[in-house]
Amino acid sequence: MTKRILIDASGVNITKPSGGAYCVKAYLEALLSLYPGLVDVVCPQEFNITDTRFNIIPAKQRTTWEKITHLLKGHVYRGAEPIIKHLCAHKEEYSCVFFNGGVLASSVLKRLKDYHLTTIVLHHNFESEYHMDSRTMFTLKGKTDKWIRYLEKRAYHLASINLFLTEQDKQLFETHYGKRENNYVTGIFEPSVQHFPLTKSTTKSAVITCSLGSEQNKRPLLRFMKRFYPLFNDILPQWELHIMGRNPGAEILELEKKYPNVFITPDPPDLNRLAAQSAIYICPMDSGGGLKLRIMDGLRAGQPILTHQRAARGYDALVNEQFFQLYDDEDSFVTGLKTILEYVNNNPLYKEEIQNKYYASFSFEKGRKELQDILSNLL
């Protein structure tokens, strides 16, 4: 391929360790590896990204007036305008445009219909499910759902290729928006060939990590603490539970006082290495769609996983493993926790086993190969 690829990364800061950014970075790294020297990336201007492996097309911050006028054009995010302007002037140089999220891509895809470009949309989740499960003032308590579905459906049908993180997300799209050719489940994978260094868990503790200021994370966490943490504390009264993440509010910080052996770590400078010191990783997320990337942090560090079954989407290759336990009620939580404890006690090299099985399904090499197989016939 001699023409270029344009990647839209204007909705995230790829220099930060958030879930969405991690996913974007993984696909960006795969495309850079497959098409070196042919990648341009639309990035938020204020993050001053200096990676010399790709050309940067800056998406500047918008004034209030620009936000209003762009929205009247149907552009729901700041990346739309610079992408359209750039491609209007340089469309002959490109063969492909790669978008992150159908709602954001919708208006741009409509404008690109006659450009004869291959357009790829990576759907991080089924947006309607995400917004309805985390209703806030931003979504007008769910009243934006019809608009979200309209935009997402339009992008889904305009895109040349739709990629999904989980089989469940793909099925939701096909159920609500109709079946299409060129729909693929590519999942998520490591953005690097390097393996995370394993450390011995010296503390009797479990850990939960997430963005603590997010409504979608805060609500499931509070439900978990009320319903399931007392069971954890009854079974393991000497153990600690560490909750780590960005921007915890007063309600989250109060958990330290409300429950025994609970410790909140706000804005940890190196979350992955700090979380890896615990013996068990718990994911309490019982809502939303997509793939819960924080579970990858535990698996990468060789930690057994105890997760709500809703958060197990995308981890099909591991759900039958003894170290990957699902729960949805009190009985299954207790059973899952005891199964993990038995597994750990009977397997002195359990961390190595977990990490090896994780990388077998989520390595950079595997993800890149799957993406290459899809794109080789289309680019």
Coordinates of all heavy atoms in Angstrom, one line a residue, residues 144-212:
T144 N -31.1 11.5 25.7 CA -30.3 11.6 24.5 C -30.2 10.2 23.7 O -29.6 10.2 22.7 CB -28.9 12.1 24.7 OG1 -28.2 11.2 25.7 CG2 -28.9 13.5 25.3
D145 N -30.8 9.2 24.3 CA -30.6 7.9 23.8 C -31.1 7.8 22.3 O -30.4 7.1 21.5 CB -31.4 6.9 24.6 CG -31.2 5.4 24.2 OD1 -30.0 5.0 24.1 OD2 -32.1 4.7 23.9
K146 N -32.2 8.4 22.0 CA -32.7 8.3 20.6 C -31.7 8.9 19.6 O -31.4 8.4 18.5 CB -34.0 8.9 20.5 CG -34.7 8.7 19.1 CD -36.1 9.3 19.2 CE -36.8 9.1 17.8 NZ -38.2 9.6 17.8
W147 N -31.1 10.0 20.0 CA -30.2 10.7 19.2 C -28.9 9.9 19.0 O -28.3 9.8 17.9 CB -29.9 12.1 19.8 CG -28.9 12.9 19.0 CD1 -29.0 13.2 17.7 CD2 -27.8 13.6 19.5 NE1 -28.0 14.1 17.3 CE2 -27.2 14.3 18.4 CE3 -27.2 13.7 20.7 CZ2 -26.1 15.1 18.5 CZ3 -26.0 14.5 20.9 CH2 -25.5 15.2 19.8
I148 N -28.4 9.3 20.1 CA -27.2 8.5 20.1 C -27.4 7.3 19.2 O -26.5 7.0 18.4 CB -26.9 8.0 21.5 CG1 -26.3 9.2 22.4 CG2 -25.9 6.8 21.5 CD1 -26.2 8.9 23.8
R149 N -28.6 6.6 19.3 CA -28.8 5.5 18.4 C -28.9 5.9 16.9 O -28.4 5.2 16.0 CB -30.1 4.8 18.8 CG -30.0 4.1 20.1 CD -31.2 3.1 20.3 NE -31.1 2.5 21.6 CZ -31.6 1.3 21.8 NH1 -32.0 0.5 20.9 NH2 -31.5 0.8 23.1
Y150 N -29.4 7.1 16.6 CA -29.5 7.5 15.3 C -28.1 7.7 14.7 O -27.8 7.3 13.6 CB -30.3 8.9 15.2 CG -30.1 9.6 13.9 CD1 -30.8 9.1 12.7 CD2 -29.3 10.7 13.8 CE1 -30.6 9.8 11.5 CE2 -29.1 11.4 12.6 CZ -29.8 10.9 11.5 OH -29.6 11.6 10.3
L151 N -27.2 8.4 15.5 CA -25.9 8.7 15.0 C -25.1 7.4 14.8 O -24.4 7.2 13.8 CB -25.2 9.6 16.0 CG -25.7 11.0 16.1 CD1 -25.0 11.8 17.2 CD2 -25.6 11.8 14.7
E152 N -25.2 6.5 15.8 CA -24.4 5.3 15.8 C -24.9 4.3 14.6 O -24.1 3.7 13.9 CB -24.6 4.5 17.1 CG -23.7 3.3 17.3 CD -23.7 2.8 18.7 OE1 -24.8 2.4 19.1 OE2 -22.7 2.8 19.4
K153 N -26.2 4.3 14.4 CA -26.7 3.5 13.3 C -26.3 4.0 12.0 O -25.9 3.2 11.1 CB -28.3 3.5 13.4 CG -28.9 2.6 12.3 CD -30.4 2.6 12.4 CE -31.1 1.8 11.3 NZ -32.6 1.8 11.4
R154 N -26.2 5.3 11.8 CA -25.8 5.9 10.6 C -24.3 5.5 10.3 O -23.9 5.2 9.2 CB -26.0 7.4 10.6 CG -25.6 8.1 9.3 CD -26.0 9.5 9.2 NE -25.3 10.4 10.1 CZ -25.5 11.7 10.2 NH1 -26.4 12.3 9.4 NH2 -24.8 12.4 11.1
A155 N -23.5 5.7 11.3 CA -22.1 5.3 11.2 C -21.9 3.9 10.9 O -21.1 3.5 10.0 CB -21.3 5.7 12.5
Y156 N -22.6 3.0 11.6 CA -22.6 1.6 11.4 C -22.8 1.2 9.9 O -22.1 0.3 9.3 CB -23.6 0.9 12.3 CG -23.8 -0.6 12.1 CD1 -22.8 -1.5 12.5 CD2 -25.0 -1.1 11.6 CE1 -23.0 -2.8 12.4 CE2 -25.2 -2.4 11.5 CZ -24.2 -3.3 11.9 OH -24.4 -4.7 11.7
H157 N -23.8 1.9 9.3 CA -24.1 1.5 7.9 C -23.2 2.2 6.9 O -23.1 1.8 5.7 CB -25.6 1.8 7.6 CG -26.5 0.8 8.2 ND1 -26.7 -0.5 7.8 CD2 -27.3 0.9 9.3 CE1 -27.5 -1.2 8.5 NE2 -27.9 -0.4 9.5
L158 N -22.7 3.4 7.2 CA -21.8 4.1 6.3 C -20.4 3.5 6.3 O -19.7 3.7 5.2 CB -21.8 5.6 6.7 CG -23.0 6.4 6.4 CD1 -22.9 7.8 6.9 CD2 -23.3 6.5 4.9
A159 N -19.9 3.0 7.3 CA -18.5 2.5 7.4 C -18.3 1.3 6.5 O -19.2 0.5 6.3 CB -18.2 2.1 8.8
S160 N -17.1 1.3 5.9 CA -16.7 0.1 5.1 C -16.5 -1.1 6.0 O -16.9 -2.2 5.6 CB -15.4 0.4 4.3 OG -15.4 1.6 3.7
I161 N -15.9 -0.9 7.1 CA -15.6 -2.0 8.1 C -16.0 -1.6 9.5 O -15.7 -0.4 9.9 CB -14.1 -2.3 8.1 CG1 -13.6 -2.7 6.7 CG2 -13.8 -3.4 9.1 CD1 -12.1 -2.8 6.6
N162 N -16.7 -2.4 10.2 CA -17.0 -2.2 11.6 C -16.2 -3.2 12.5 O -16.3 -4.4 12.2 CB -18.5 -2.4 11.9 CG -19.3 -1.2 11.3 OD1 -19.2 -0.1 11.7 ND2 -20.1 -1.6 10.3
L163 N -15.5 -2.7 13.4 CA -14.8 -3.6 14.3 C -15.4 -3.5 15.7 O -15.8 -2.4 16.1 CB -13.3 -3.1 14.4 CG -12.5 -3.1 13.1 CD1 -11.1 -2.6 13.3 CD2 -12.6 -4.4 12.4
F164 N -15.4 -4.5 16.5 CA -16.0 -4.6 17.8 C -15.0 -5.2 18.8 O -14.2 -6.1 18.5 CB -17.3 -5.4 17.8 CG -18.3 -4.9 16.8 CD1 -18.3 -5.4 15.5 CD2 -19.2 -3.9 17.1 CE1 -19.2 -4.9 14.6 CE2 -20.1 -3.4 16.2 CZ -20.1 -3.9 14.9
L165 N -15.2 -4.8 20.1 CA -14.3 -5.3 21.1 C -14.8 -6.7 21.6 O -14.0 -7.5 22.2 CB -14.2 -4.3 22.3 CG -13.5 -3.0 21.9 CD1 -13.2 -2.2 23.2 CD2 -12.3 -3.1 21.1
T166 N -16.1 -6.9 21.6 CA -16.7 -8.1 22.1 C -17.7 -8.7 21.1 O -18.4 -7.9 20.4 CB -17.3 -8.0 23.5 OG1 -18.6 -7.3 23.3 CG2 -16.4 -7.2 24.4
E167 N -17.9 -10.0 21.2 CA -19.0 -10.6 20.4 C -20.4 -10.1 20.8 O -21.3 -9.9 20.0 CB -18.9 -12.1 20.6 CG -20.0 -12.9 19.8 CD -19.9 -12.7 18.3 OE1 -18.7 -12.7 17.8 OE2 -20.9 -12.7 17.6
Q168 N -20.5 -9.8 22.1 CA -21.8 -9.3 22.6 C -22.1 -8.0 22.0 O -23.3 -7.7 21.7 CB -21.8 -9.2 24.1 CG -21.7 -10.6 24.8 CD -20.3 -11.1 25.1 OE1 -19.4 -10.7 24.4 NE2 -20.2 -12.0 26.0
D169 N -21.1 -7.1 21.9 CA -21.4 -5.8 21.3 C -21.8 -5.9 19.8 O -22.7 -5.3 19.3 CB -20.1 -4.9 21.3 CG -19.8 -4.5 22.8 OD1 -20.7 -4.4 23.6 OD2 -18.6 -4.1 23.0
K170 N -21.1 -6.8 19.1 CA -21.4 -7.1 17.7 C -22.9 -7.6 17.6 O -23.6 -7.1 16.7 CB -20.5 -8.1 17.1 CG -20.8 -8.5 15.7 CD -19.7 -9.4 15.1 CE -20.0 -10.0 13.8 NZ -21.0 -11.1 13.9
Q171 N -23.3 -8.5 18.4 CA -24.7 -9.0 18.4 C -25.7 -7.9 18.7 O -26.8 -7.8 18.1 CB -24.8 -10.1 19.4 CG -24.1 -11.4 19.0 CD -24.1 -12.5 20.0 OE1 -24.7 -12.3 21.1 NE2 -23.4 -13.5 19.8
L172 N -25.4 -7.0 19.6 CA -26.3 -5.8 19.9 C -26.4 -4.9 18.7 O -27.6 -4.5 18.4 CB -25.7 -5.0 21.1 CG -25.9 -5.6 22.5 CD1 -25.1 -4.9 23.5 CD2 -27.4 -5.6 22.8
F173 N -25.3 -4.6 18.0 CA -25.4 -3.8 16.8 C -26.3 -4.5 15.7 O -27.2 -3.9 15.1 CB -24.0 -3.6 16.2 CG -23.4 -2.4 16.8 CD1 -22.8 -2.4 18.1 CD2 -23.3 -1.2 16.1 CE1 -22.1 -1.3 18.6 CE2 -22.7 -0.1 16.6 CZ -22.1 -0.1 17.9
E174 N -26.1 -5.8 15.5 CA -26.8 -6.5 14.5 C -28.3 -6.7 14.9 O -29.2 -6.6 14.0 CB -26.2 -7.9 14.2 CG -24.8 -7.7 13.6 CD -24.1 -9.1 13.4 OE1 -24.5 -10.1 14.0 OE2 -23.1 -9.1 12.6
T175 N -28.6 -6.8 16.1 CA -30.0 -6.9 16.6 C -30.7 -5.6 16.4 O -31.8 -5.5 15.9 CB -30.0 -7.3 18.1 OG1 -29.4 -8.6 18.2 CG2 -31.5 -7.4 18.6
H176 N -30.1 -4.5 16.8 CA -30.7 -3.2 16.7 C -30.6 -2.5 15.4 O -31.5 -1.7 15.0 CB -30.1 -2.3 17.8 CG -30.5 -2.7 19.2 ND1 -31.7 -2.3 19.8 CD2 -29.8 -3.4 20.1 CE1 -31.8 -2.8 21.0 NE2 -30.6 -3.5 21.3
Y177 N -29.5 -2.7 14.7 CA -29.3 -1.9 13.4 C -29.2 -2.8 12.2 O -29.1 -2.2 11.1 CB -27.9 -1.2 13.6 CG -27.8 -0.3 14.8 CD1 -26.6 -0.1 15.4 CD2 -28.9 0.4 15.2 CE1 -26.5 0.7 16.5 CE2 -28.8 1.3 16.4 CZ -27.6 1.4 17.0 OH -27.5 2.2 18.1
G178 N -29.4 -4.1 12.3 CA -29.4 -5.0 11.1 C -28.0 -5.5 10.9 O -27.0 -5.0 11.2
K179 N -28.0 -6.7 10.3 CA -26.7 -7.4 10.0 C -26.0 -6.7 8.8 O -26.7 -6.2 7.9 CB -26.9 -8.9 9.7 CG -27.4 -9.6 11.0 CD -27.3 -11.1 10.8 CE -27.6 -11.8 12.1 NZ -27.4 -13.3 12.0
R180 N -24.7 -6.8 8.7 CA -23.9 -6.2 7.7 C -22.7 -7.1 7.4 O -22.3 -7.9 8.2 CB -23.4 -4.9 8.1 CG -24.3 -3.7 7.9 CD -23.5 -2.4 7.8 NE -22.4 -2.6 6.7 CZ -21.5 -1.8 6.5 NH1 -21.3 -0.7 7.3 NH2 -20.6 -2.0 5.6
E181 N -22.2 -7.0 6.2 CA -20.9 -7.7 5.9 C -19.8 -6.8 6.4 O -20.0 -5.7 6.8 CB -20.8 -7.8 4.3 CG -21.7 -8.8 3.7 CD -21.4 -9.0 2.2 OE1 -20.5 -8.4 1.7 OE2 -22.1 -9.8 1.6
N182 N -18.6 -7.4 6.6 CA -17.5 -6.7 7.1 C -17.6 -6.2 8.5 O -17.2 -5.1 8.9 CB -17.1 -5.6 6.2 CG -16.5 -6.1 4.8 OD1 -16.0 -7.2 4.7 ND2 -16.7 -5.2 3.8
N183 N -18.3 -7.0 9.3 CA -18.3 -6.8 10.8 C -17.4 -7.8 11.4 O -17.5 -9.0 11.2 CB -19.8 -7.1 11.3 CG -20.7 -5.9 11.0 OD1 -20.3 -4.8 10.6 ND2 -22.0 -6.1 11.3
Y184 N -16.5 -7.4 12.2 CA -15.5 -8.2 12.8 C -15.3 -8.0 14.3 O -15.3 -6.8 14.7 CB -14.1 -8.0 12.1 CG -14.1 -8.3 10.6 CD1 -14.2 -7.2 9.8 CD2 -13.9 -9.5 10.1 CE1 -14.2 -7.3 8.4 CE2 -13.9 -9.7 8.7 CZ -14.1 -8.6 7.9 OH -14.1 -8.8 6.5
V185 N -15.1 -9.0 15.1 CA -14.7 -8.9 16.5 C -13.2 -9.0 16.6 O -12.6 -10.1 16.4 CB -15.4 -9.9 17.4 CG1 -14.9 -9.8 18.8 CG2 -16.9 -9.8 17.3
T186 N -12.5 -7.9 16.8 CA -11.1 -7.9 16.9 C -10.6 -7.7 18.3 O -9.4 -7.9 18.6 CB -10.5 -6.8 16.0 OG1 -11.2 -5.5 16.3 CG2 -10.6 -7.1 14.6
G187 N -11.5 -7.4 19.3 CA -11.1 -7.3 20.7 C -10.1 -6.2 21.0 O -10.0 -5.3 20.3
I188 N -9.4 -6.4 22.1 CA -8.4 -5.5 22.5 C -7.1 -6.3 22.8 O -7.2 -7.5 23.1 CB -8.8 -4.6 23.7 CG1 -7.8 -3.6 24.0 CG2 -9.1 -5.5 24.9 CD1 -7.5 -2.6 22.9
F189 N -6.0 -5.7 22.7 CA -4.7 -6.4 22.9 C -3.7 -5.5 23.4 O -3.9 -4.2 23.4 CB -4.3 -7.0 21.5 CG -4.4 -6.1 20.4 CD1 -3.4 -5.2 20.0 CD2 -5.6 -6.0 19.6 CE1 -3.5 -4.3 19.0 CE2 -5.7 -5.1 18.5 CZ -4.7 -4.3 18.2
E190 N -2.6 -6.0 23.8 CA -1.5 -5.2 24.4 C -0.9 -4.2 23.3 O -0.8 -4.6 22.1 CB -0.4 -6.1 24.9 CG -0.7 -6.9 26.1 CD -0.8 -5.9 27.3 OE1 0.2 -5.1 27.5 OE2 -1.7 -6.1 28.1
P191 N -0.6 -3.0 23.7 CA 0.0 -2.1 22.7 C 1.5 -2.3 22.5 O 2.1 -1.5 21.8 CB -0.3 -0.7 23.3 CG -0.4 -1.0 24.8 CD -0.9 -2.4 25.0
S192 N 2.1 -3.2 23.2 CA 3.5 -3.4 23.1 C 3.8 -4.9 23.2 O 3.1 -5.7 23.7 CB 4.2 -2.7 24.3 OG 5.6 -3.1 24.4
V193 N 5.0 -5.3 22.6 CA 5.4 -6.7 22.7 C 6.1 -7.0 24.1 O 6.3 -8.2 24.4 CB 6.5 -7.0 21.6 CG1 5.8 -6.9 20.2 CG2 7.7 -6.1 21.7
Q194 N 6.4 -6.0 24.9 CA 7.0 -6.2 26.1 C 6.0 -6.7 27.1 O 4.8 -6.3 27.2 CB 7.6 -4.9 26.7 CG 8.7 -4.3 25.9 CD 9.3 -3.0 26.4 OE1 8.6 -2.4 27.2 NE2 10.5 -2.7 26.0
H195 N 6.4 -7.7 28.0 CA 5.6 -8.3 29.0 C 5.7 -7.5 30.3 O 6.8 -7.1 30.7 CB 5.9 -9.8 29.2 CG 5.4 -10.6 28.1 ND1 5.1 -12.0 28.2 CD2 5.1 -10.3 26.8 CE1 4.7 -12.5 27.1 NE2 4.6 -11.5 26.2
F196 N 4.7 -7.4 31.1 CA 4.7 -6.8 32.4 C 5.5 -7.6 33.3 O 5.3 -8.8 33.4 CB 3.2 -6.6 32.9 CG 3.1 -5.8 34.1 CD1 3.0 -4.4 34.0 CD2 3.0 -6.4 35.4 CE1 2.9 -3.7 35.2 CE2 2.9 -5.6 36.5 CZ 2.8 -4.3 36.4
P197 N 6.4 -7.0 34.1 CA 7.3 -7.7 35.0 C 6.4 -8.2 36.2 O 5.7 -7.5 36.9 CB 8.3 -6.7 35.5 CG 7.7 -5.4 35.3 CD 6.8 -5.5 34.1
L198 N 6.5 -9.5 36.5 CA 5.8 -10.1 37.6 C 6.4 -9.8 38.9 O 7.7 -9.8 39.0 CB 5.6 -11.6 37.4 CG 4.7 -12.1 36.3 CD1 4.8 -13.6 36.2 CD2 3.3 -11.6 36.5
T199 N 5.6 -9.5 39.9 CA 6.1 -9.3 41.3 C 5.3 -10.2 42.2 O 4.2 -10.5 42.0 CB 6.0 -7.8 41.7 OG1 4.6 -7.5 41.6 CG2 6.8 -6.9 40.8
K200 N 6.0 -10.6 43.3 CA 5.3 -11.4 44.3 C 4.3 -10.6 45.1 O 4.7 -9.5 45.6 CB 6.4 -12.1 45.2 CG 5.8 -13.1 46.2 CD 6.9 -13.8 47.0 CE 6.3 -14.8 47.9 NZ 7.3 -15.5 48.8
S201 N 3.1 -11.1 45.3 CA 2.1 -10.4 46.1 C 2.5 -10.7 47.6 O 2.3 -11.8 48.1 CB 0.7 -10.9 45.8 OG 0.4 -10.6 44.5
T202 N 3.0 -9.7 48.3 CA 3.4 -9.9 49.7 C 2.3 -9.5 50.7 O 2.4 -9.8 51.9 CB 4.6 -9.0 50.0 OG1 4.3 -7.7 49.7 CG2 5.8 -9.5 49.1
T203 N 1.2 -8.9 50.2 CA 0.2 -8.5 51.1 C -1.1 -9.3 50.9 O -1.4 -9.7 49.8 CB -0.2 -7.0 50.9 OG1 -0.6 -6.8 49.5 CG2 1.0 -6.1 51.2
K204 N -1.8 -9.6 52.0 CA -3.1 -10.3 51.9 C -4.1 -9.2 51.6 O -4.7 -8.7 52.5 CB -3.4 -11.0 53.2 CG -2.5 -12.2 53.4 CD -2.9 -13.0 54.7 CE -2.0 -14.2 54.9 NZ -2.4 -15.0 56.1
S205 N -4.3 -9.0 50.3 CA -5.3 -7.9 49.9 C -5.8 -8.2 48.5 O -5.2 -8.9 47.7 CB -4.5 -6.6 49.9 OG -3.6 -6.5 48.8
A206 N -7.0 -7.6 48.2 CA -7.6 -7.6 46.9 C -7.6 -6.1 46.4 O -7.5 -5.2 47.3 CB -9.0 -8.1 46.9
V207 N -7.7 -5.9 45.1 CA -7.6 -4.6 44.6 C -8.7 -4.3 43.6 O -9.1 -5.3 42.8 CB -6.2 -4.3 44.0 CG1 -6.0 -5.1 42.8 CG2 -6.1 -2.8 43.6
I208 N -9.3 -3.1 43.5 CA -10.2 -2.7 42.5 C -9.6 -1.4 41.9 O -9.2 -0.5 42.7 CB -11.6 -2.4 43.1 CG1 -12.3 -3.6 43.6 CG2 -12.5 -1.7 42.1 CD1 -13.5 -3.4 44.4
T209 N -9.5 -1.3 40.6 CA -9.0 -0.1 40.0 C -10.0 0.4 38.9 O -10.7 -0.4 38.2 CB -7.7 -0.4 39.2 OG1 -7.9 -1.3 38.2 CG2 -6.6 -0.9 40.2
C210 N -10.2 1.7 38.9 CA -11.1 2.3 37.9 C -11.0 3.8 38.0 O -10.4 4.3 39.0 CB -12.6 1.8 38.1 SG -13.3 2.3 39.6
S211 N -11.6 4.5 37.1 CA -11.7 5.9 37.2 C -12.8 6.2 38.2 O -14.0 6.1 38.0 CB -12.0 6.6 35.8 OG -12.2 8.0 36.0
L212 N -12.4 6.7 39.4 CA -13.3 6.8 40.5 C -14.3 8.0 40.4 O -15.2 8.0 41.2 CB -12.5 6.8 41.8 CG -11.7 5.6 42.2 CD1 -10.8 5.8 43.4 CD2 -12.6 4.4 42.4

